[in-house]
Amino acid sequence: MTDRIERAEVIVTAPARNFVTVKLTTSDGIVGWGDATLNGRELAVASYLSDHVIPTLIGKDASRIGDIWSYLYKGAYWRRGPVTMTAIAAIDVALWDIKGKRAGLPVHELLGGKARDGVLVYAHASGADVAEMLDDVDRLLGEGYRAVRGQAALVGVPDAYGVRHGTGVYDPADASLPSETGWDTAAYLEQAPGYLRAIRERFGFGFHLLHDCHHRLTPNEAGIFGRSVEDLKLFWMEDPTPAENQEKFRLIRQRTTTPIATGEVLNSIWDVQTLITEQLIDYVRTSVSHAGGITHLRRIFDLADLYGVRSGSHGATDLSPVSLSAALQLDISIPNFGIQEYMAHDAVTHEVFRPGYHLDDGYLIPSDAPGLGIEVDEDAARRFPYNPKYLPVARLADGTLHDW
Ligand code: CS2
Ligand code: MG
């Protein structure tokens, strides 16, 4: 058998931010890449892989992707959860990369071929005030984006979510210990509809407008927010309320027709089952790197398709270019694709990760190279040692810890 997994390595590198990457090598020298980055909890996944997954993989038949998935999921006894599902995802994606390279085909050909010519993406506009956010929207529309997410700082709320510091890429994991930020739902409900309205007033309706509530609202508050922006025709309001209890979304659905997206922190088909089967959401945001890889995410999207729910995968900068390469292979091939989040990685990240996708007129075009179409420069990776960074916490004015 030539297709044995001979070596498996975990590479931790921090070009601009931390990434955990899996490299699998088969006995005949084919290399597959997978992303195992879990923002702020990177080393937990690195250890799960190195200490518990990799020793069980050596010598296994790399062509048996589904069997290896079940071996890692059912075989561990302990199920679901972000650490486990990110680790499984990285192995799964690396195995798809190997299968494509062995076949001489891009992964999307193995998934049935292209169902569209390009992958619609949305970019992030943010600002320390409304004027700055409007300038950012202007810049992104000028760059050809067809969909833009709008977030602006809230007056009177210190460091509220969603705003870039300085001119770099927006990255909330910004400190070696979690920084403390503020939150005030009343200020948000009063100001956010106004700044979204300012975007439509200045730029009109000829592009998709998105907004992230980032788990900050109760179902009733989310209903109030969604209703107050219905005339702005948002593409979606994202994460209006935390989704551990999926039934909470019933109330939001009753109150507003604004489309709903959720799932970036969810990891399995069971985490989104009620949301999908009761049609409580319009877009499922589970990602290839945090929800069990191509094998499992495809099952989620298939279930979603039965219920008229579309894909809208998470794609912030903490999902590495390896993840984005894999996401695009799936996005281009599924019937119920909706949109893909895209926060372009900076030049330093691309010194390590060299993806083959490119942006064309608001669409990402996946690589046609065999496998995922990404190269990783291990020498460059070694130049950027791990640099602990945490996501912030949010507190109300009285000190109560709020959802982030
Ligand atoms: C956000 C992310 O992209 C998004 O929609 O929710 O910025 C999120 O905060 C980070 O990816 C967390 O790791
Ligand atoms: Mg989000």
Side-chain angles (χ1 to χ4, degrees):
M1 189 174 28
T2 54
D3 224 1
R4 279 187 307 102
I5 300 173
E6 189 167 278
R7 272 203 321 278
E9 293 146 84
V10 178
I11 297 165
V12 181
T13 180
R17 59 154 310 109
N18 290 311
F19 294 112
V20 179
T21 307
V22 164
K23 177 186 182 187
L24 298 184
T25 309
T26 64
S27 40
D28 60 344
I30 298 183
V31 168
W33 299 103
D35 178 20
T37 309
L38 187 61
N39 202 5
R41 295 292 184 270
E42 296 88 1
L43 298 185
V45 186
S47 159
Y48 190 91
L49 284 162
S50 301
D51 297 328
H52 303 294
V53 171
I54 286 174
T56 72
L57 279 185
I58 304 304
K60 288 222 160 20
D61 182 347
S63 72
R64 300 193 176 194
I65 299 179
D67 182 62
I68 290 178
W69 198 96
S70 297
Y71 182 84
L72 295 177
Y73 185 81
K74 298 179 182 171
Y77 186 66
W78 309 105
R79 298 183 178 217
R80 298 158 65 172
V83 174
T84 303
M85 297 303 275
T86 302
I88 295 176
I91 301 296
D92 181 80
V93 166
L95 291 173
W96 279 100
D97 193 19
I98 288 170
K99 194 178 276 299
K101 286 173 179 162
R102 186 174 299 286
L105 293 170
V107 169
H108 61 258
E109 289 295 346
L110 306 181
L111 298 172
K114 290 186 179 177
R116 56 197 53 78
D117 300 323
V119 171
L120 177 69
V121 296
Y122 70 92
H124 283 219
S126 77
D129 56 31
V130 178
E132 207 177 283
M133 179 196 64
L134 291 173
D135 286 348
D136 221 19
V137 174
D138 194 32
R139 175 181 64 85
L140 293 167
L141 293 177
E143 290 175 17
Y145 286 100
R146 295 159 183 271
V148 174
R149 162 186 134 158
Q151 311 286 145
L154 299 172
V155 178
V157 182
D159 291 320
Y161 161 73
V163 178
R164 191 174 58 229
H165 299 295
T167 53
V169 176
Y170 167 64
D171 193 343
D174 62 354
S176 55
L177 286 174
S179 46
E180 303 265 336
T181 63
W183 183 250
D184 180 337
T185 299
Y188 173 80
L189 290 176
E190 194 192 325
Q191 295 175 40
Y195 71 62
L196 293 170
R197 192 166 302 281
I199 296 176
R200 284 302 195 204
E201 278 167 4
R202 176 148 158 209
F203 301 102
F205 286 80
F207 65 101
H208 301 300
L209 178 60
L210 298 82
H211 177 72
D212 192 350
C213 309
H214 223 268
H215 311 110
R216 303 282 168 112
L217 307 175
T218 64
N220 187 41
E221 289 162 353
I224 292 167
F225 174 79
R227 191 172 279 192
S228 72
V229 294
E230 276 172 11
D231 61 319
L232 304 180
K233 303 204 180 340
L234 296 191
F235 189 89
W236 75 37
M237 60 171 174
E238 176 178 328
D239 289 335
T241 200
E244 290 98 321
N245 179 0
Q246 300 175 50
E247 295 172 10
K248 280 161 68 182
F249 282 68
R250 284 190 197 133
L251 185 70
I252 310 175
R253 233 350 173 209
Q254 286 162 16
R255 298 284 161 87
T256 178
T257 56
T258 293
I260 302 168
T262 201
E264 68 179 54
V265 303
L266 304 179
N267 317 108
S268 79
I269 199 165
W270 300 280
D271 299 341
V272 291
Q273 183 180 2
T274 304
L275 292 169
I276 290 172
T277 58
E278 291 194 20
Q279 294 159 304
L280 301 179
I281 57 173
D282 300 274
Y283 297 91
V284 59
R285 272 180 58 70
T286 38
S287 71
V288 81
S289 59
H290 299 138
I294 290 172
T295 299
H296 194 67
L297 190 58
R298 188 159 63 139
R299 291 184 70 197
I300 294 177
F301 289 160
D302 277 344
L303 177 69
D305 191 34
L306 256 65
Y307 294 92
V309 175
R310 296 198 179 98
S311 72
S313 285
H314 188 205
T317 37
D318 47 296
L319 290 88
S320 90
V322 177
S323 263
L324 189 56
S325 300
L328 295 175
Q329 300 289 337
L330 198 52
D331 291 337
I332 200 102
S333 64
I334 59 172
N336 54 328
F337 170 74
I339 201 165
Q340 170 69 49
E341 181 178 15
Y342 177 50
M343 287 175 76
H345 292 100
D346 57 15
V348 187
T349 299
H350 285 141
E351 285 178 30
V352 176
F353 300 98
R354 310 223 176 99
Y357 50 75
H358 67 277
L359 190 66
D360 181 13
D361 207 16
Y363 295 97
L364 272 177
I365 312 297
S367 167
D368 277 326
L372 299 176
I374 186 154
E375 286 167 23
V376 181
D377 182 333
E378 292 173 75
D379 290 332
R382 276 187 277 277
R383 294 206 308 271
F384 304 105
Y386 178 68
N387 178 18
K389 283 274 163 56
Y390 285 93
L391 290 163
V393 296
R395 290 188 192 275
L396 307 182
D398 69 356
T400 305
L401 198 90
H402 196 68
D403 293 296
W404 198 85

